[in-house]
Amino acid sequence: NKYQDAIFVGEESPYELKHFVIPDHYTDDVDKLLIPHGVVIDRIEKLAREITRNYSDRLVVCCVLKGGHQFFADLVSCMKKLPNREGKSLPIDHDFIRVKSYENTASTGNVQISMTEEELCNLEGRDVLIVEDIIDTGRTMEALVALLKKYKLRSVKVASLFVKRTPLSNGFYPDYVGFSIPDTFVIGYCLDYNDVFRDLDHVCSISSVGIKKYMS
Ligand code: 5GP
């Protein structure tokens, strides 16, 4: 089972919204609370440990903007304190790519990657870890990894905080994954819906009211 390394998040959440702080401005816009913020952070600590001890040389950690930035920040801040394969500290460089494929809550299939030829050439010979928020159909990561593979990197691995269990998956699976989540549109922990909800800490599913209110 390819999902065995991830924490399984079921369709029915064990958490009730009333037990958590949800900003007043989003009260009607969230449906279920799927993963509390604290659990996200705990899981990232473990991923950081697994990742750091698989490397020995200077690593480029590449953040996929915008949704991946919170995961990137929390992951790198843990990795900095953890030992590499030889039990020493791991030097980490930062890089940022902007990728866009979504309109409202549907993948458009048209993946736009903003990286210049110069930026891509600078990655030659390097170990690169791509940090992504969520994998849905897998098209975004497939396109990005295929592009990077043309540039003679030493290695390319992908860490994704969430993977969606969807029949639309193209089979792409990340090297490191935090949670496997049901086939629903999620928001919170910097995952947005038309740029809204990045200020919500807990990972939630969006309500039909929220979908309508912030439709672009
Ligand atoms: P894919 O190419 O795998 O279909 O989609 C990946 C991208 O779509 C992610 O980087 C993310 O930006 C967006 N995405 C997919 N599912 C969700 C979701 O449930 N919530 C949010 N906020 N974004 C999603």
Side-chain angles (χ1 to χ4, degrees), residues 102 107 132-134 136-140 164 185-186 191-192:
Y102 254 60
S107 180
E132 168 71 311
D133 51 358
I134 181 165
D136 183 6
T137 64
R139 277 194 291 231
T140 306
K164 217 180 259 190
F185 194 81
V186 295
L191 278 90
D192 70 304

Side-chain angles (χ1 to χ4, degrees), residues 114-134:
S114 65
M115 263 187 121
T116 64
E117 189 67 22
E118 192 190 348
E119 285 168 329
L120 285 160
C121 289
N122 284 342
L123 295 176
E124 200 176 311
R126 309 289 311 270
D127 287 314
V128 176
L129 177 74
I130 299 169
V131 175
E132 168 71 311
D133 51 358
I134 181 165

Side-chain angles (χ1 to χ4, degrees), residues 126-173:
R126 309 289 311 270
D127 287 314
V128 176
L129 177 74
I130 299 169
V131 175
E132 168 71 311
D133 51 358
I134 181 165
I135 291 170
D136 183 6
T137 64
R139 277 194 291 231
T140 306
M141 275 306 105
E142 191 174 63
L144 181 59
V145 170
L147 176 71
L148 293 178
K149 288 215 160 132
K150 293 185 193 152
Y151 288 84
K152 298 202 189 95
L153 312 198
R154 188 173 180 203
S155 69
V156 187
K157 301 265 187 213
V158 176
S160 182
L161 188 54
F162 308 109
V163 171
K164 217 180 259 190
R165 298 186 297 274
T166 165
L168 300 178
S169 166
N170 67 0
F172 182 91
Y173 201 71

Side-chain angles (χ1 to χ4, degrees), residues 50-67:
E50 286 170 7
I51 295 168
T52 313
R53 66 176 171 214
N54 279 343
Y55 291 97
S56 42
D57 295 333
R58 190 168 271 278
L59 174 68
V60 183
V61 181
C62 187
C63 172
V64 180
L65 295 170
K66 295 180 189 172

